[in-house]
Amino acid sequence: KTWATTNGVQVTLSEFGAHMNCDYNSKARYYAAVVEECLKNNFAFQAWDDGGANYILYRRPDTNWNDLKDVVIHTTLQSPNEFKLSKK
């Protein structure tokens, strides 16, 4: 952030994502953490979607978004971020 501000450059984090084989909670926490850090540092960001192979936010066959998209879009600096996992 310091370098970008000093040099008048906007930073964009491009193509980050969580592999679909990861457990759901880990994926949600990862997306939230990346978005939160980008927001803290005034960085633009773009989540990666590879068309349905391994990084999926948009399901092209049925033209619907999955719920991880909501984590990317609705995470704010005021969002809860102290998640704890538990086994049932």
Side-chain angles (χ1 to χ4, degrees), residues 56-70:
I56 304 166
L57 289 176
Y58 183 70
R59 294 185 310 267
R60 286 163 179 78
D62 61 2
T63 64
N64 286 305
W65 295 92
N66 73 31
D67 52 353
L68 290 171
K69 164 275 291 178
D70 292 329

Side-chain angles (χ1 to χ4, degrees), residues 67-79:
D67 52 353
L68 290 171
K69 164 275 291 178
D70 292 329
V71 175
V72 174
I73 291 174
H74 298 294
T75 295
T76 69
L77 293 178
Q78 293 76 38
S79 296

Side-chain angles (χ1 to χ4, degrees), residues 19-74:
H19 196 279
M20 295 313 293
N21 287 343
C22 297
D23 69 275
Y24 180 83
N25 288 333
S26 294
K27 288 185 288 195
R29 291 180 70 184
Y30 171 76
Y31 281 112
V34 171
V35 170
E36 182 180 346
E37 288 303 311
C38 286
L39 293 173
K40 283 181 188 176
N41 290 288
N42 197 33
F43 294 172
F45 58 90
Q46 301 165 342
W48 174 246
D49 181 299
D50 66 357
N54 296 302
Y55 299 86
I56 304 166
L57 289 176
Y58 183 70
R59 294 185 310 267
R60 286 163 179 78
D62 61 2
T63 64
N64 286 305
W65 295 92
N66 73 31
D67 52 353
L68 290 171
K69 164 275 291 178
D70 292 329
V71 175
V72 174
I73 291 174
H74 298 294

